[in-house]
Amino acid sequence: MAVDLLLGLQWGDEGKGKIVDVLTQNYDIIARFQGGPNAGHTLIFDGFKHVLHTIPSGIFHKTALNVVGNGVVIDPVIFKKELENLDQHNIDYTSKLLISRKAHLILPTHRLLDAASETSKGKAKIGSTLKGIGPTYMDKTGRNGMRVGDLELDNWKDKYKSLTKKHIKMLEFFDVDIQYDLDELEAEFCLGIDKLKTLQFIDSEEFLNNAMKEKKSILAEGAQGSLLDIDFGTYPFVTSSNTTAAGACTGLGVAPNKIGDVFGIFKAYTTRVGSGPFPTELFDEDGATMAKVGHEFGATTGRPRRCGWLDLVALKYANQVNGVTQLMMMKGDVLSGFKTLKVCTSYKYKGKEVTHLPYNIEPENVTPVYTEFKGWSDDLTGMTSEDQLPQNLLDYIAFIEKETEVPVKIVSVGPDRKQTITRQ
Ligand code: GDP
Ligand code: IMO
Ligand code: MG
């Protein structure tokens, strides 16, 4: 059976976690393919809110297996906290959470390097989540990293010590004052490793390919969003992995011809947390309303998210790069009450109108051109079927479908698992 992919089409926080949780009933295996604890995936059901960072969003279902793929970077300290949260809810994960031996480990000194790099950049900082993501992927591609499989070797601590020593030397390069207590960090790290070692380590590419042969259904869960992709995002204001569809192939060991549906998740408007260009960003009442009604605060860092209108130029670009087969629109309920809605359909780029995403979308080069729509005032949050949705919202969706040439299959009308409308 083919592997279906689910990924974010904007700058992250589109609502991926919610939809993975909703779709898990249709799958045998949920597999995270990239990113690490920079992600924050929120799931709400039965009156509880859960935020997952590294653990796949299928973990709350009884039977689905959850795989942390080779493309993921794991911080044992944060991972331990996530597992303890599951313990509190009596979730038995021991037999259904499997970790790729090839996943890389985030060391405490990776976090220090992330902080030092960001501080040294001053105003030009990326706005990283400071989870050590960039330095860990740098060690991976630089062929210096430590992997989960190394923990099965007797001498893993030697490897840890020598990499840590190198990082401490590298810290000296940054002319900034980063305070730390290495012994304390190491003790915490070792506790995390002990907990991680209670789980099953697997050769995940072998496991997933065998599962496909056995006709098991697999959903690959992405983190971040397409505009944060290391190649196709708004570089350098991106994360350090391929968040787009190709990242699922390399992050799980699944061949491109084994990919089935690609579910593209997007918000009915746009948000971004951290630095970097954002052509449709709003600095007025409308933006403030989106932030307030949508509770737009980062699930990992708590930072306020920047808000703006839907950007179809960027959305079409993301659809193209990912080969999206089905769109899923989140947070339409947040737009209830706006008299007029705007959708960016092209940019004025260096004096000319363009409909593709240009190399540089900094504000000095790009001005968004908008198409206006009539809003709706109905409260969507209690609606359960498509025929209850207001006509103006259906017109908004129809326009998105026409422009992207991809059907919108799910309309999410609230954060709860139940507030999900599937369209025929
Ligand atoms: P992810 O990183 O893509 O999984 O998304 P996050 O969890 O970081 O952010 C999405 C936020 O929106 C979370 O607080 C969700 O609970 C919330 N959410 C998801 N879908 C909806 C929706 O349709 N309506 C509203 N109002 N909130 C939603
Ligand atoms: P989920 O999976 C939103 C952003 C950071 C920063 C940039 C680089 O919840 O959608 P990093 O820590 O990766 O070096 O930060 O990427 N970022 C996210 N923004 N959602 C995320 O994940 C993000 N993960 C990273 O804010 O701008
Ligand atoms: Mg998030």
Side-chain angles (χ1 to χ4, degrees):
M1 251 177 120
V3 176
D4 293 335
L5 306 188
L6 184 146
L7 38 82
L9 299 178
Q10 295 159 322
W11 279 288
D13 302 330
E14 295 89 351
K16 300 173 291 294
K18 169 182 165 163
I19 296 297
V20 172
D21 172 56
V22 168
L23 296 180
T24 298
Q25 55 181 338
N26 306 330
Y27 291 92
D28 298 309
I29 300 171
I30 308 298
R32 248 295 280 278
F33 61 85
Q34 45 66 237
N38 48 348
H41 295 180
T42 314
L43 285 64
I44 300 182
F45 55 87
D46 300 341
F48 284 103
K49 172 175 159 174
H50 307 272
V51 180
L52 296 167
H53 302 286
T54 328
I55 295 174
S57 302
I59 198 71
F60 294 99
H61 290 253
K62 278 221 158 62
T63 54
L65 292 177
N66 289 263
V67 174
V68 177
N70 59 277
V72 176
V73 290
I74 301 174
D75 183 331
V77 179
I78 295 175
F79 203 75
K80 178 169 174 279
K81 288 190 188 134
E82 284 194 70
L83 293 175
E84 286 165 355
N85 268 333
L86 295 182
D87 288 332
Q88 277 184 11
H89 288 89
N90 295 319
I91 303 299
D92 178 18
Y93 48 78
T94 44
S95 56
K96 58 176 191 181
L97 182 55
L98 310 169
I99 317 292
S100 172
R101 288 197 173 87
K102 294 194 173 82
H104 278 246
L105 292 170
I106 302 177
L107 271 50
T109 40
H110 282 130
R111 270 185 269 133
L112 299 178
L113 284 168
D114 204 357
S117 166
E118 281 288 78
T119 309
S120 72
K121 283 192 160 100
K123 272 196 176 145
K125 71 174 184 201
I126 309 294
S128 142
T129 59
L130 302 179
K131 304 294 176 195
I133 303 297
T136 306
Y137 280 113
M138 277 165 74
D139 269 341
K140 175 178 176 173
T141 51
R143 297 158 298 176
N144 296 310
M146 226 183 119
R147 301 191 288 179
V148 166
D150 292 332
L151 301 174
E152 292 173 323
L153 306 172
D154 289 336
N155 69 343
W156 73 263
K157 264 208 177 147
D158 296 342
K159 200 157 185 180
Y160 163 82
K161 293 247 184 238
S162 93
L163 192 52
T164 297
K165 200 168 148 195
K166 181 174 164 192
H167 291 161
I168 298 294
K169 271 263 164 245
M170 287 166 74
L171 272 175
E172 286 168 17
F173 162 83
F174 294 100
D175 196 17
V176 294
D177 182 28
I178 302 285
Q179 299 289 327
Y180 59 91
D181 178 336
L182 202 56
D183 292 337
E184 207 174 285
L185 291 173
E186 187 174 317
E188 197 184 31
F189 181 74
C190 289
L191 286 176
I193 296 288
D194 289 344
K195 184 82 177 165
L196 191 61
K197 280 172 117 178
T198 63
L199 298 174
Q200 215 179 313
F201 299 164
I202 59 165
D203 297 327
S204 52
E205 63 280 28
E206 191 68 21
F207 175 85
L208 293 170
N209 281 287
N210 283 337
M212 273 188 270
K213 281 185 200 146
E214 290 163 14
K215 306 267 183 274
K216 296 256 166 50
S217 51
I218 304 173
L219 177 65
E221 174 178 1
Q224 289 79 56
S226 303
L227 301 176
L228 290 171
D229 182 278
I230 183 72
D231 283 284
F232 302 109
T234 45
Y235 193 89
F237 301 100
V238 292
T239 191
S240 298
S241 63
N242 281 117
T243 59
T244 45
C249 295
T250 55
L252 294 175
V254 168
N257 63 346
K258 296 278 168 34
I259 302 296
D261 267 316
V262 180
F263 305 132
I265 314 293
F266 72 103
K267 275 180 188 160
Y269 48 101
T270 311
T271 64
R272 173 162 209 175
V273 62
S275 330
F278 177 0
T280 62
E281 183 169 10
L282 291 167
F283 301 95
D284 59 7
E285 257 324 283
D286 286 338
T289 304
M290 288 172 190
K292 188 160 173 262
V293 180
H295 303 291
E296 295 296 357
F297 293 93
T300 295
T301 58
R303 290 177 294 175
R305 295 180 185 139
R306 300 151 65 191
C307 295
W309 297 117
L310 182 66
D311 185 341
L312 271 183
V313 179
L315 194 71
K316 283 189 200 168
Y317 177 77
N319 270 331
Q320 174 174 282
V321 170
N322 291 302
V324 174
T325 61
Q326 296 187 20
L327 287 166
M328 301 183 174
M329 189 177 95
M330 314 301 289
K331 297 192 124 172
D333 55 297
V334 175
L335 295 184
S336 291
F338 280 86
K339 258 211 167 89
T340 305
L341 300 173
K342 293 185 184 178
V343 173
C344 168
T345 40
S346 63
Y347 296 145
K348 277 254 163 63
Y349 177 67
K350 296 185 177 170
K352 278 193 192 142
E353 193 162 334
V354 298
T355 52
H356 72 277
L357 200 73
Y359 180 72
N360 191 330
I361 59 163
E362 298 293 340
E364 60 271 25
N365 290 305
V366 154
T367 314
V369 179
Y370 290 109
T371 301
E372 294 196 356
F373 290 82
K374 275 199 192 126
W376 55 88
S377 55
D378 321 52
D379 176 5
L380 312 182
T381 56
M383 295 185 181
T384 51
S385 71
E386 188 181 357
D387 54 18
Q388 296 170 313
L389 297 176
Q391 189 55 46
N392 288 351
L393 169 60
L394 292 173
D395 292 346
Y396 188 76
I397 293 172
F399 184 75
I400 294 167
E401 290 182 317
K402 183 170 99 21
E403 288 285 310
T404 58
E405 299 176 61
V406 184
V408 175
K409 288 285 190 179
I410 282 182
V411 179
S412 174
V413 292
D416 195 276
R417 195 190 257 177
K418 289 199 186 121
Q419 292 169 302
T420 311
I421 296 176
T422 305
R423 300 178 76 214
Q424 297 316 315

